Amino acid sequence: MIGKLRGLVDSYGEDFVILDVNGVGYVVHCSARTLQRLPQPGEAADLSIETHVREDMIRLYGFRSDAEREWFRLLQTVQGVGSRVALGVLSVLEPANLATAIATGDKGAIARAPGVGPRLAARLVAELKDKAPAFAPIDPALIALTGAVEDRTAPQPVADAISALVNLGYPQVQASAAVAAAMKGAGEGAEAKTLIRLGLRELAR
């Protein structure tokens, strides 16, 4: 099994790069985001590799980081997600942003990926939510808060403050993060208007 390739970029296709490793050209399928960040033909590149072996083919998938490769694997543990959809998700979300979206239940961000509708996005969040925090550089309090809002168990002032910020045009994740930060300063018993005011101050930073 191939786990890593280091060589010169030979050429690009629509969804792959040909990597020349000591005169052997490997066709490596990558997300659009990875392809955009690889160097020009003739320059050196390193890729972490996931090898898929089937009866009729061997296909290589390349990633700029081990974290991206790990998410490629995790995504495919969810029913309805194959390699193409997994690459599509990684084309629109970097690993850290994907982890944050799943951990905070931001189904809208995930549904922007090609081949992912609202139902599949919800399934991804539900099945991977417990694994996402290990990859997400976010405050555990934010994860707990967004979970409480999703389950409708959050205190009413908190839910009202988040709803108000969303109505002002802020994405759900940003609104939740701002209110979570506001709660640290104002306390859990703060009124909605206080959380909104402090949340707006956080968002203005």
Side-chain angles (χ1 to χ4, degrees):
M1 301 291 278
I2 298 173
K4 182 178 181 179
L5 287 175
R6 175 180 297 165
L8 301 178
V9 173
D10 180 87
S11 59
Y12 288 100
E14 183 179 351
D15 64 347
F16 65 87
V17 60
I18 296 180
L19 200 62
D20 185 333
V21 181
N22 297 323
V24 178
Y26 291 89
V27 177
V28 184
H29 296 267
C30 305
S31 69
R33 186 180 295 275
T34 292
L35 289 174
Q36 290 167 3
R37 296 186 177 183
L38 289 176
Q40 296 296 316
E43 297 182 8
D46 288 0
L47 287 172
S48 295
I49 300 295
E50 178 77 0
T51 306
H52 284 191
V53 180
R54 298 179 180 174
E55 291 183 2
D56 56 343
M57 70 173 186
I58 298 176
R59 179 164 288 193
L60 304 180
Y61 297 92
F63 310 93
R64 294 182 67 250
S65 68
D66 290 341
E68 187 184 15
R69 180 176 63 184
E70 186 61 28
W71 269 111
F72 180 71
R73 294 169 175 169
L74 280 173
L75 288 167
Q76 291 180 85
T77 64
V78 177
Q79 183 181 359
V81 179
S83 57
R84 184 181 297 275
V85 171
L87 286 181
V89 173
L90 293 169
S91 291
V92 299
L93 290 168
E94 294 184 356
N97 293 336
L98 173 58
T100 299
I102 290 176
T104 58
D106 188 359
K107 296 183 282 291
I110 300 168
R112 289 190 291 111
V116 179
R119 185 175 298 179
L120 182 54
R123 191 185 306 151
L124 284 164
V125 168
E127 295 190 20
L128 298 180
K129 196 166 188 176
D130 291 341
K131 299 176 182 178
F135 298 89
I138 57 177
D139 188 342
L142 173 56
I143 298 175
L145 176 60
T146 53
V149 172
E150 184 79 15
D151 298 337
R152 297 184 179 180
T153 58
Q156 196 59 47
V158 173
D160 289 345
I162 293 174
S163 178
L165 294 179
V166 169
N167 289 337
L168 288 173
Y170 293 100
Q172 176 86 25
V173 174
Q174 288 185 15
S176 297
V179 172
M183 288 173 62
K184 290 184 178 180
E188 294 186 2
E191 296 181 353
K193 62 181 181 180
T194 301
L195 294 176
I196 294 169
R197 176 172 53 81
L198 295 176
L200 287 170
R201 186 180 299 171
E202 290 290 330
L203 290 164
R205 288 184 178 182

